[in-house]
Amino acid sequence: MVARLQTAEGRAALAAADEALDRGDPLAAAQAVRTATSDPDLAAAALTQATLRRRAVGKFGADAGRLLYTRTGLEQATRAVVADRRAARLADAGVRTVADLGCGIGADTLAFARAGLTVRAVEADPVTAAVASANVAACGLDHMVSVTCADATATDLSGIDAVFCDPARREASGRRVVNPAAFSPPWSFLRQLPARVPATVLKLTPGIDHALIPEGAEAEWVSVDGDVVEATFWHGPLAAVPRRATVITGTAAHSLTGSGVATAPVAGVRRYLYDPDGAVVRAHLVAEFASTVDGCLADARIAYVFADAPVATPFGTALEVVAQLPYGLKALRSALRAHGIGALEIRKRGVAVEPDRLRRELRLSGDESATLVLTRLGARPTALLCRRVAAGSG
Ligand SMILES: C[S@@+](CC[C@H](N)C(=O)[O-])C[C@H]1O[C@@H](n2cnc3c(N)ncnc32)[C@H](O)[C@@H]1O
């Protein structure tokens, strides 16, 4: 069907569906594809592609409208902003050829090729491999990329400068796989790659166990607009530091680096509270972050950082602590009423609370908005009423 979508008839059907969906008219889209083709399977495929293209805009931006997808391929694809940064780092390191083992629909492959790298892309699933080939062609990158439908574990890596692998981490049912032995290709294959090609890059789940970080490798955690999207292990000559947290907001990216084993000073609650970005926490760089805001922890095991002054930082959300409230539903309810708070953001670390349920149970009313931070100081659960520090403060 991928080949049929690339024929004149397939392109016409897809263009008709695209055009109708652009007008926000799904019923017209179904009609339009049937006018463009009499083949019901091609019509259905064109409609599916047009729908997936709209879903893909967040990941692929302007490219979304020229690419083809599989549903799982789109779900697993790397966001362009992340893939482009990875590709640029490889190009800056002098890499000229890269093998993309398990290339999916080709998000990383496209980024590598655009960064000037020659790509040997391998994909086991025939339909996904055909989609990757179509996407390479649609972006005019055929001269940079070969896509082969094959098992990555049997791929010849001779003459390759670098290897990239983003293993599949979902079961057929769509459920996420957490056990690295069940990744595809599996961990037993991935961990051997740096011995074959030292410049190996692995894209992994953000929850990957730190015990799996090889000696001498760099482990990076990446967040996009507050969501931690991946961990990346950089091996051999590509490793620059032990740990890195990269925080991407819009098109701006900031990196915090460190050892991953430093500990932050512990003192009491102070006037400003920083909630570090998830990438900072996952990378075990809270101590490094605390030093950037001259801060400390209030509990050694909880990643809220407290400081005396507001500092503008891309690595966390800054809040001003307005009051310590009594911990307990009734007491909180009346304290929040007294402060006139009708809109409440709830953040929590170290306490078992369901924020949405608590918000309902608090029966808020009032014109003010605030942030409630629920945490623990030693064994003592603690509620801190906070307000956002205005951007540009500090
Ligand atoms: C997470 S996806 C890759 C996504 C890709 N990096 C992107 O951004 O578009 C993993 C892919 O690896 C493929 N795969 C899994 N095991 C493989 C193997 N042994 N050989 C080749 N491909 C494999 C899966 O079919 C899937 O398409």
Side-chain angles (χ1 to χ4, degrees), residues 78-80 82-92 95-104 106-122 136 141 143-146 162-166 199-203 230 232 234 238:
T78 306
R79 286 164 179 73
V82 178
D84 288 347
R85 284 181 54 77
R86 176 165 30 242
R89 185 165 164 183
L90 285 178
D92 289 348
V95 169
R96 294 290 167 261
T97 52
V98 62
D100 185 352
L101 302 182
C103 69
D108 287 286
T109 284
L110 296 176
F112 292 142
R114 284 199 171 123
L117 276 57
T118 301
V119 190
R120 199 181 291 174
V122 180
V136 167
L141 293 166
H143 59 298
M144 304 293 290
V145 182
S146 67
V163 168
F164 172 70
C165 186
D166 171 9
T200 287
V201 185
L202 302 178
K203 174 183 161 185
E230 67 175 63
T232 320
W234 301 82
L238 302 173

Side-chain angles (χ1 to χ4, degrees), residues 312-390:
T313 173
F315 298 114
T317 304
L319 300 164
E320 182 178 3
V321 179
V322 180
Q324 273 204 40
L325 301 183
Y327 200 96
L329 184 60
K330 278 190 181 156
L332 272 178
R333 192 183 286 144
S334 56
L336 291 169
R337 288 255 164 96
H339 281 87
I341 290 163
L344 189 68
E345 175 194 37
I346 300 175
R347 292 175 183 248
K348 56 138 194 157
R349 287 191 195 277
V351 286
V353 171
E354 286 176 43
D356 288 339
R357 182 168 166 194
L358 174 63
R359 196 179 295 99
R360 277 196 305 278
E361 289 175 351
L362 285 169
R363 300 203 294 271
L364 302 164
S365 78
D367 299 329
E368 302 296 323
S369 59
T371 298
L372 183 66
V373 176
L374 300 173
T375 186
R376 165 164 80 65
L377 301 175
R380 186 159 54 89
T382 301
L384 302 171
L385 185 63
C386 303
R387 64 174 159 239
R388 289 267 186 157
V389 173

Side-chain angles (χ1 to χ4, degrees), residues 153-384:
T153 62
T155 298
D156 174 16
L157 297 175
S158 53
I160 284 285
D161 295 339
V163 168
F164 172 70
C165 186
D166 171 9
R169 284 162 273 130
R170 281 167 205 249
E171 293 172 353
S173 66
R175 260 210 355 231
R176 280 173 209 271
V177 167
V178 278
N179 177 6
F183 291 173
S184 184
W187 186 251
S188 54
F189 168 74
L190 302 177
R191 72 186 176 86
Q192 304 285 356
L193 281 172
R196 297 171 63 192
V197 180
T200 287
V201 185
L202 302 178
K203 174 183 161 185
L204 300 161
T205 172
I208 192 83
D209 185 349
H210 281 237
L212 296 177
I213 304 169
E215 186 72 29
E218 171 182 327
E220 176 186 29
W221 274 260
V222 182
S223 72
V224 177
D225 297 330
D227 288 332
V228 188
V229 293
E230 67 175 63
T232 320
F233 288 2
W234 301 82
H235 300 77
L238 302 173
V241 288
R243 301 285 181 276
R244 182 188 302 270
T246 297
V247 172
I248 301 174
T249 313
T251 52
H254 301 270
S255 275
L256 183 72
T257 59
S259 66
V261 293
T263 51
V266 179
V269 169
R270 298 201 208 156
R271 179 162 167 197
Y272 293 95
L273 180 157
Y274 295 85
D275 189 357
D277 186 274
V280 172
V281 177
R282 294 271 197 183
H284 294 182
L285 291 174
V286 173
E288 283 82 350
F289 169 67
S291 73
T292 68
V293 297
D294 196 16
C296 60
L297 302 179
D299 180 300
R301 286 152 305 171
I302 297 193
Y304 286 132
V305 172
F306 292 87
D308 292 327
V311 176
T313 173
F315 298 114
T317 304
L319 300 164
E320 182 178 3
V321 179
V322 180
Q324 273 204 40
L325 301 183
Y327 200 96
L329 184 60
K330 278 190 181 156
L332 272 178
R333 192 183 286 144
S334 56
L336 291 169
R337 288 255 164 96
H339 281 87
I341 290 163
L344 189 68
E345 175 194 37
I346 300 175
R347 292 175 183 248
K348 56 138 194 157
R349 287 191 195 277
V351 286
V353 171
E354 286 176 43
D356 288 339
R357 182 168 166 194
L358 174 63
R359 196 179 295 99
R360 277 196 305 278
E361 289 175 351
L362 285 169
R363 300 203 294 271
L364 302 164
S365 78
D367 299 329
E368 302 296 323
S369 59
T371 298
L372 183 66
V373 176
L374 300 173
T375 186
R376 165 164 80 65
L377 301 175
R380 186 159 54 89
T382 301
L384 302 171

